[in-house]
Amino acid sequence: MASSPPVEVHGLTKQYGDITAVDGVDLTVEAGDVFGYLGPNGAGKTTSMRMMLGLIRPTAGEVKLFGKDPQESIGALAGVAGFVEAPRFYPYLDAKTNLELLAALDGDGAKGLIPEVLDIVELTDRAKDKVGGYSHGMRQRLGIAASLLRKPRLLMLDEPATGLDPAGMRDMRLLIKRLASEGITVLLSSHLLAEVEDVCDRVAIIRKGKIAYQGQLSQLRKEAGLSYSLRTTDDTAARKVLDSFSAITDVAATDDGTLRFHPADESAVAQLSGQLTAAGAMIIELAPRSATLEELFFELTEGES
Amino acid sequence: MRSPSVFTVYRWELRKLRAQKRTYLGIGAAILVPMAFTIAVALRPGEPRDVPFGRYIHQTGLSIPLVMLLFGSIWFFPLITALVAGDIVANEDQNGTLKTILTRSVDRTQVFFGKVLAAFTYAFIAVVISSGFALVAGLIVSGYNPLTSLSGQLVSANEGLSLVGASVAVYMIPILAIASIALMLSTVTRNSAAAVVGTLMFSLILQLVVIIPGLGGLQPYLLSTQFNSWQGLLRTPIDWDPIIRAAWVSSAYAIPALLIALVVFLRRDVTGG
Ligand SMILES: Nc1ncnc2c1ncn2[C@@H]1O[C@H](COP(=O)(O)OP(=O)(O)OP(=O)(O)O)[C@@H](O)[C@H]1O
Ligand SMILES: [Mg+2]
């Protein structure tokens, strides 16, 4: 029997009054994944992760972490660590004492790891300072340290790089890469694709509580590459042709009048060029473009599809 | 390599209390108020004749902590108790730390009872310290002399001392019920000011209920009344009835309050922080 995946989510839904914050999310994170959970502000990332960590109750659906439901027992969080939104600590205690407290609540000799995790996040010098006086970036790093105390097999981080300066962001990326290379499965949320592009291998894109895309990042790149740009002598006629063509989808006009679209395949492009000429729109430019991931992401999260 | 338990949470709750200002605010008041009272006793010739033991404050220091227990029950000890018990859950909400501790290896029940024990411990320590200081100050001002019991008999100073100790112990019964109510309000309101004020209002309103015509019969079942139950110890022979009633009446307040708090704590969504 195959062992259960680190995260398996089915039909996960959370309703806040009229707002459906998370709406039937299905998600699987496989062992060894560095999984990017992407979506714009208010998409439902934090809410889903709260449910995954057992902090809030799903309205419907279920979460399994290594096959166990965090709603049923805290034991489901064995080997799981992370934080949602900004990590929080007791402001009136110093960093070391905060970690000692959490280590005590972890049990299992976690206390012995404190010097090591403080070192990893480079807070050893400040360990004796009250967390109340910590900067945002320091708290963020302390959050990582607190998670590492649990010797996690699965690390869930909600926008860990938010509010960090460029160097801090780079350090965070390097750290996540390093942890992943040590075999830790990572689920990482972000509202910036660029931020996770070079650490994640799989992504899910959530939009208004629903998963808009889930799969390999490389696959997403391939899809992104299928876009074409078109400039003609007659924009209106060209637009008409594009809109009437069933093998062509996602037509959009950019600010400078260039049209963009997704052809079903190359033969659709060939046919299109003939039809454009017939319609009197002479082609100035018709080119496949490697749309940046960012554009695709924008399309997936903001588009009307 | 032990796995964490309620006592792990309890130990760390005490550790957190030791690092918080409001803890010392409560303990400080618990010390200062009996001191101020004793100084007033020393400086002024009169005595509060309308309360039990009030007339003996110049005769024996043993009466001072007893008078403090009486005066303190109106709002002073409930306030000190609620100061911490009303904050112990809400404080986590305000700091956003509930999510931090609830994603470790202790479950919510353990966290809850760790907090209950810590709030109880604090209330106990505050009342004991307060009475201890009242006693010492009283002995300095009025001496270590025999005490007249409520039945009019003179009991030796040594016996009186152990009766004072036992009275403080019995006094803990309604105090812990107050702590439980404060904990419930702390859990339900998620706001420590609301919980502290709410507990105080509750205990004051109970004292007013009996003024309402027709409700006087409720007196024996009010939590505020249980604060007088220790007086049974100071009769000869000891009258256990009020003490037994204090135990069950206080439980009738405390247990539902704790149950409500527990259920709310177990079921609630942790969205803050
Ligand atoms: N406690 C709550 N009560 C009411 N509505 C909530 C609550 N928490 C979240 N929501 C709503 O649920 C939706 C999703 O919020 P969520 O915080 O999960 O988004 P997010 O993807 O994490 O956004 P961000 O990138 O801004 O962090 C939002 O519309 C939000 O207003
Ligand atoms: Mg969020």
Side-chain angles (χ1 to χ4, degrees):
Chain A
M1 206 188 93
S3 63
S4 311
V7 181
E8 208 175 2
V9 164
H10 286 296
L12 196 62
T13 301
K14 182 69 186 184
Q15 192 92 34
Y16 284 116
D18 289 344
I19 299 170
T20 309
V22 176
D23 193 355
V25 163
D26 294 312
L27 208 66
T28 308
V29 179
E30 302 288 350
D33 275 353
V34 181
F35 192 96
Y37 194 32
L38 301 165
N41 290 138
K45 304 180 295 292
T46 301
T47 305
S48 339
M49 291 175 79
R50 278 188 201 277
M51 288 190 275
M52 293 180 204
L53 287 168
L55 289 171
I56 61 179
R57 276 167 190 274
T59 310
E62 60 165 13
V63 174
K64 290 273 155 77
L65 304 177
F66 298 105
K68 291 189 195 135
D69 186 344
Q71 289 297 325
E72 271 162 28
S73 122
I74 197 77
L77 293 188
V80 179
F83 53 77
V84 287
E85 283 177 344
R88 295 300 198 94
F89 298 93
Y90 298 100
Y92 48 82
L93 298 175
D94 64 37
K96 184 159 167 282
T97 312
N98 265 292
L99 291 185
E100 279 167 1
L101 185 159
L102 297 177
L105 300 185
D106 289 335
D108 203 21
K111 193 175 177 205
L113 293 174
I114 292 175
E116 189 187 328
V117 299
L118 278 171
D119 217 38
I120 291 175
V121 299
E122 295 169 13
L123 282 175
T124 309
D125 295 346
R126 304 294 302 272
K128 282 289 182 189
D129 294 340
K130 290 218 168 91
V131 176
Y134 268 32
S135 76
H136 173 78
M138 291 164 75
R139 262 178 231 173
Q140 214 73 5
R141 282 186 278 150
L142 188 58
I144 300 273
S147 299
L148 294 181
L149 276 184
R150 290 176 66 75
K151 284 181 264 159
R153 288 185 290 155
L154 167 66
L155 196 54
M156 288 199 231
L157 304 174
D158 187 17
E159 308 201 24
T162 311
L164 298 186
D165 61 22
M169 274 180 167
R170 189 203 53 215
D171 290 349
M172 187 65 79
R173 266 202 295 275
L174 288 176
L175 178 61
I176 289 167
K177 272 188 175 167
R178 180 181 140 193
L179 295 171
S181 74
E182 288 166 10
I184 299 176
T185 305
V186 183
L187 186 141
L188 187 67
S189 85
S190 176
H191 54 267
L192 289 175
L193 183 61
E195 201 177 274
V196 301
E197 215 175 333
D198 62 325
V199 283
C200 291
D201 37 35
R202 287 200 336 125
V203 295
I205 295 174
I206 182 171
R207 169 182 181 245
K208 294 184 182 159
K210 293 198 169 91
I211 298 291
Y213 176 87
Q214 182 169 193
Q216 298 291 331
L217 193 57
S218 53
Q219 181 62 36
L220 190 65
R221 278 212 181 85
K222 234 182 252 162
E223 285 180 28
L226 258 179
S227 143
Y228 275 67
S229 66
L230 169 70
R231 271 197 308 141
T232 64
T233 50
D234 185 344
D235 290 342
T236 335
R239 179 84 201 215
K240 248 183 219 146
V241 173
L242 285 172
D243 285 341
S244 65
F245 217 115
S246 67
I248 281 172
T249 52
D250 299 321
V251 181
T254 62
D255 297 338
D256 61 358
T258 309
L259 293 163
R260 288 208 186 131
F261 61 90
H262 283 277
D265 51 28
E266 286 191 338
S267 75
V269 182
Q271 278 181 43
L272 174 73
S273 64
Q275 290 202 11
L276 282 169
T277 318
M282 300 303 154
I283 298 171
I284 299 169
E285 179 195 317
L286 175 58
R289 48 191 310 280
S290 238
T292 63
L293 270 178
E294 205 58 49
E295 279 169 13
L296 182 69
F297 177 58
F298 194 73
E299 231 169 82
L300 281 169
T301 54
E302 306 291 325
E304 289 307 309
S305 62
Chain B
M1 298 292 145
R2 287 182 313 124
S3 54
S5 65
V6 171
F7 295 101
T8 316
V9 178
Y10 171 63
R11 269 209 323 277
W12 276 95
E13 285 300 324
L14 293 183
R15 176 77 181 71
K16 284 192 262 180
L17 288 181
R18 287 215 308 277
Q20 281 177 274
K21 282 200 195 82
R22 76 169 51 221
T23 311
Y24 298 99
L25 196 70
I27 300 278
I31 293 171
L32 287 178
V33 169
M35 295 310 234
F37 176 72
T38 317
I39 290 169
V41 167
L43 298 181
R44 287 177 41 188
E47 56 248 342
R49 296 199 148 262
D50 50 341
V51 296
F53 304 103
R55 67 184 63 208
Y56 306 123
I57 55 175
H58 293 294
Q59 288 168 24
T60 171
L62 294 173
S63 62
I64 302 279
L66 298 179
V67 172
M68 274 312 299
L69 290 185
L70 284 162
F71 284 145
S73 68
I74 300 167
W75 59 266
F76 178 60
F77 287 123
L79 172 64
I80 288 181
T81 302
L83 202 57
V84 162
D87 183 61
I88 204 156
V89 178
N91 175 29
E92 305 273 357
D93 271 297
Q94 271 153 19
N95 284 327
T97 41
L98 220 38
K99 67 177 184 191
T100 310
I101 52 172
L102 292 182
T103 48
R104 314 305 294 195
S105 301
V106 282
D107 63 33
R108 292 191 186 196
T109 315
Q110 290 171 316
V111 170
F112 181 77
F113 283 109
K115 285 184 176 294
V116 171
L117 288 179
F120 282 8
T121 304
Y122 171 83
F124 178 79
I125 289 174
V127 174
V128 167
I129 287 183
S130 192
S131 302
F133 272 84
L135 179 69
V136 172
L139 296 184
I140 292 168
V141 169
S142 305
Y144 187 53
N145 301 317
L147 180 72
T148 310
S149 82
L150 291 171
S151 321
Q153 262 124 336
L154 207 61
V155 293
S156 73
N158 282 345
E159 197 185 333
L161 183 61
S162 38
L163 286 176
V164 169
S167 299
V168 172
V170 168
Y171 200 74
M172 291 315 299
I173 299 171
I175 283 284
L176 297 186
I178 290 284
S180 306
I181 288 161
L183 247 150
M184 176 187 74
L185 292 175
S186 187
T187 310
V188 172
T189 64
R190 306 181 188 183
N191 178 307
S192 71
V196 174
V197 173
T199 308
L200 221 53
M201 292 310 288
F202 174 79
S203 107
L204 288 174
I205 287 169
L206 277 191
Q207 294 168 50
L208 296 178
V209 163
V210 285
I211 302 173
I212 302 171
L215 292 182
L218 287 177
Q219 178 104 43
Y221 308 105
L222 297 179
L223 188 53
S224 45
T225 310
Q226 314 315 316
F227 279 103
N228 299 327
S229 61
W230 55 270
Q231 291 172 29
L233 293 171
L234 286 132
R235 294 183 195 283
T236 11
I238 288 177
D239 180 6
W240 291 102
D241 286 355
I243 297 169
I244 292 164
R245 196 178 52 224
W248 70 258
V249 172
S250 300
S251 304
Y253 285 85
I255 292 171
L258 288 179
L259 277 179
I260 291 169
L262 176 62
V263 170
V264 169
F265 192 70
L266 288 182
R267 297 197 55 87
R268 63 167 289 188
D269 279 353
V270 178
T271 50

